[in-house]
Amino acid sequence: MRISGVRIRNYRTIRNEIAFDLPNLLSIVGPNNAGKSNIARALEIFFSGRTHNKYDPKTDMPFGIQKEKTSITVSFKVDGAEPWDSTFIDLHDQLRNLHPDPPSKDAIVSLNLYFNDKKPVYQFFGNVKRPTDGAKNAQYSRVQNDLLDMIFEYFKVYYVPSAKSFSEIFSDFIFPELKADINPTVVSVIPQVNKILSSTSNEINQFLSSAGLQDITTSISISESSVDSLVSKIDFMIADNISTELSRKGTGIQATAIFAALRWIDERKRSAGHEVLWIVEEPESYLHPELTRTVNHLISTLSDRSTVMLTTHSLAFVPKTVENVIGCEKISGNTTLTRFANFNEATYRIKKSIGVRFSDYFNLAGVNVAVEGKSDRSIFESVLKAALKKGFVEASSVSKVAAAKFITFSGVRDLAEFVRVTYEFVSKECVFVTVFDGDEAGVKHRKDLQGYLSNRKPPVPFQSNRDFVSVRSNFSIEGLFPDWIIKEAYKSFPASFKSYSEDASGVVEPFQINDMQKSKIQDFMLDKLLSSDDKSDYQRFLAALTAIDGSIQALLSESSGTIFD
């Protein structure tokens, strides 16, 4: 049994029904905001709605639709080659024959999902009356539920949205499979562990008895029901020159390792007799061209036995076979699909629809500010908003940075890697200002990038207060807070600091915060600053923000209206 086709109507930007076949590999290609992700989400909702319903009519029903319902239909081709198929066909025939006027038998089985408000309703024969006899109607419900159980147990669906980090993909998909392998071994050693724990409890009981508490005894043990919680973390290490955790490698290496691991999951599920559907959004994100080819190969091997549906705006993930490509675009706010007569036509239309802009591959805006992490963006945006509200800065002097899109990374290493691979190209298409911390790591990566880009042929400019801005020299972003707030943070949480000192005049010197405590310290410092009505407390942040704004203006003026649109 395999999925043969999909129909979607009245879901987010999909007002009018769209329909498409689903071969082993399908790439849905189009520009940003065309509705590609809505197609992926609709399919994921179909397979998860029975047990983990995420549908919300307030956000998922197209605006202005009153009397109609969201409808998602998936068609299945049952070839009868496996015993499972025969059982399913027999049950489906039984359901069909329970209708007062049984519909004709079809080689394709269709299952429709619609929603009564938030409640999901599945039906195999949507336009055919169910039996009115009470006993037959109850039997109809039982048979339909048995069929639904078979489908949702047989199909294993993995939805990999572009917003999910590689660490989250590991935790959500790979970690549970590893635990399933480990748990039997853990269970087998429970008697030995409990023997050790029993000895400990006996010693405690002796102490209680010697204290005159003979009626109180303790018992320490592990039950099989608690085994699952014993393994809470598994290290996924990657070794190139140095062995480090997955999250500490570059995003390209992370992506390649994760897709290889997904291939392992696919093999496991197929071997266990399941059909697997992979729904992958934008696999091209942050990939070096060479790694793109590697991931493309891994995806291709996934589709050899399972079904893979991609959404992408990268030509690198467009199959050569035109039947495996669908174009997606939005017309008058409605998502529509386009099919192509041949590969050349598909290539032409896709290039035209996405403008063949390198920056589109990474969802960049016209003006972008790249920072090392999400917390950096949150701090800059919060401080800028407060400074404007309190009248500490003229809106005109920060108007460009206020309107810019902040691009976040998982640290300076990932930020520098992205700039190294893409800046030569994206700098010709949009404004992209990189913000580095002034600490040792920020300075090192900034210097490395300047050396690398200056040696390109032709050299790629990468100048301070134009292409990049460094925050306070020798300090990370926390060093932009006024000294009195930094001192209060250290006084309140001294154990959260790796190093801290003040010079003879009481000025705070470069310091380090433990990585695991950074979020807490940043929140503490930000709350203190936002509560302050002293303009001088904002001085360092405003200097950085106006420098970023000046860099944006410099790049915009140099474009002369011919590079950026």
Side-chain angles (χ1 to χ4, degrees), residues 30-236:
N32 290 329
N33 202 35
K36 302 185 300 297
S37 293
N38 291 339
I39 297 172
R41 291 190 192 103
L43 196 52
E44 193 262 344
I45 280 178
F46 178 91
F47 282 98
S48 65
R50 198 161 176 243
T51 54
H52 299 89
N53 181 27
K54 302 174 185 175
Y55 181 83
D56 185 347
K58 293 180 181 179
T59 55
D60 294 334
M61 184 64 112
F63 179 76
I65 301 280
Q66 299 295 331
K67 297 182 179 180
E68 298 183 42
K69 300 179 185 296
T70 294
S71 175
I72 307 166
T73 302
V74 175
S75 299
F76 304 90
K77 186 175 181 180
V78 189
D79 56 21
E82 302 291 335
W84 186 97
D85 294 341
S86 299
T87 303
F88 183 87
I89 291 171
D90 290 343
L91 269 177
H92 191 263
D93 286 344
Q94 186 179 339
L95 186 73
R96 179 172 56 83
N97 291 323
L98 283 170
H99 291 93
D101 185 14
S104 58
K105 188 170 182 177
D106 197 326
I108 300 297
V109 173
S110 292
L111 177 59
N112 171 253
L113 167 65
Y114 69 91
F115 294 87
N116 281 331
D117 191 24
K118 292 184 178 182
K119 182 182 178 181
V121 179
Y122 290 91
Q123 54 184 2
F124 285 96
F125 302 97
N127 298 319
V128 183
K129 281 189 176 182
R130 288 179 57 148
T132 54
D133 176 77
K136 282 191 174 182
N137 192 47
Q139 183 184 4
Y140 189 97
S141 295
R142 286 195 300 271
V143 174
Q144 179 166 271
N145 283 332
D146 287 344
L147 285 167
L148 293 176
D149 288 342
M150 290 187 72
I151 285 178
F152 295 125
E153 170 58 26
Y154 181 65
F155 282 92
K156 298 302 178 184
V157 179
Y158 297 92
Y159 172 48
V160 187
S162 57
K164 192 182 286 287
S165 71
F166 296 122
S167 294
E168 289 172 328
I169 294 172
F170 177 79
S171 297
D172 293 348
F173 300 151
I174 302 164
F175 182 58
E177 297 296 327
L178 294 171
K179 284 185 71 173
D181 280 350
I182 291 171
N183 280 353
T185 302
V186 176
V187 169
S188 70
V189 299
I190 284 181
Q192 297 166 262
V193 174
N194 281 339
K195 186 176 181 181
I196 297 171
L197 296 177
S198 176
S199 174
T200 301
S201 62
N202 288 337
E203 289 187 37
I204 294 173
N205 291 337
Q206 290 176 13
F207 291 132
L208 289 171
S209 178
S210 65
L213 300 173
Q214 294 88 347
D215 294 336
I216 299 177
T217 59
T218 64
S219 176
I220 306 172
S221 64
I222 296 172
S223 66
E224 289 192 14
S225 62
S226 64
V227 165
D228 196 56
S229 61
L230 288 178
V231 182
S232 60
K233 185 178 184 297
I234 295 176
D235 291 332
F236 189 174

Side-chain angles (χ1 to χ4, degrees), residues 406-423:
F406 276 79
I407 310 296
T408 63
F409 295 82
S410 58
V412 67
R413 180 197 299 269
D414 284 340
L415 169 60
E417 180 183 345
F418 181 85
V419 174
R420 177 186 180 89
V421 173
T422 68
Y423 191 71

Side-chain angles (χ1 to χ4, degrees), residues 227-356:
V227 165
D228 196 56
S229 61
L230 288 178
V231 182
S232 60
K233 185 178 184 297
I234 295 176
D235 291 332
F236 189 174
M237 308 295 288
I238 299 178
D240 37 23
N241 293 328
I242 301 174
S243 179
T244 56
E245 289 187 357
L246 170 73
S247 60
R248 299 191 64 185
K249 293 297 184 185
T251 51
I253 295 296
Q254 289 185 55
T256 307
I258 285 293
F259 274 99
L262 297 185
R263 182 72 175 85
W264 169 74
I265 291 177
D266 189 78
E267 285 290 339
R268 282 174 60 87
K269 296 306 177 185
R270 296 287 304 185
S271 298
H274 297 287
E275 187 69 27
V276 186
L277 169 62
W278 296 95
I279 306 170
V280 184
E281 288 187 358
E282 300 180 9
E284 67 271 13
S285 297
Y286 302 151
L287 290 178
H288 185 280
E290 183 62 35
L291 293 177
T292 298
R293 287 190 287 272
T294 302
V295 170
N296 209 341
H297 172 72
L298 289 169
I299 289 174
S300 178
T301 59
L302 274 179
S303 69
D304 287 343
R305 297 182 64 193
S306 299
T307 302
V308 180
M309 189 181 85
L310 307 176
T311 68
T312 181
H313 45 75
S314 167
L315 294 174
F317 288 93
V318 179
K320 298 298 181 183
T321 306
V322 71
E323 290 80 12
N324 298 102
V325 188
I326 291 179
C328 181
E329 58 184 331
K330 191 187 290 184
I331 300 176
S332 301
N334 183 46
T335 294
T336 61
L337 299 181
T338 304
R339 291 167 179 79
F340 310 107
N342 53 61
F343 182 74
N344 288 335
E345 179 185 342
T347 304
Y348 171 76
R349 292 189 183 182
I350 292 167
K351 287 180 178 178
K352 184 178 180 181
S353 71
I354 64 176
V356 202

Side-chain angles (χ1 to χ4, degrees), residues 462-530:
F462 197 65
Q463 302 170 10
S464 61
N465 298 323
R466 175 185 177 276
D467 304 282
F468 70 87
V469 171
S470 293
V471 303
R472 186 182 177 190
S473 180
N474 296 321
F475 286 83
S476 58
I477 190 171
E478 294 84 9
L480 294 179
F481 289 96
D483 277 15
W484 71 267
I485 289 181
I486 300 171
K487 291 178 180 179
E488 282 202 19
Y490 178 71
K491 183 178 179 182
S492 301
F493 309 101
S496 297
F497 286 72
K498 286 184 181 179
S499 64
Y500 177 86
S501 68
E502 300 171 18
D503 67 13
S505 60
V507 175
V508 173
E509 296 184 310
F511 57 90
Q512 285 184 302
I513 302 171
N514 291 317
D515 290 341
M516 299 298 292
Q517 303 294 319
K518 273 199 171 187
S519 179
K520 178 179 72 175
I521 298 300
Q522 288 174 345
D523 289 345
F524 177 88
M525 291 180 170
L526 185 59
D527 285 344
K528 290 287 184 182
L529 180 61
L530 298 183

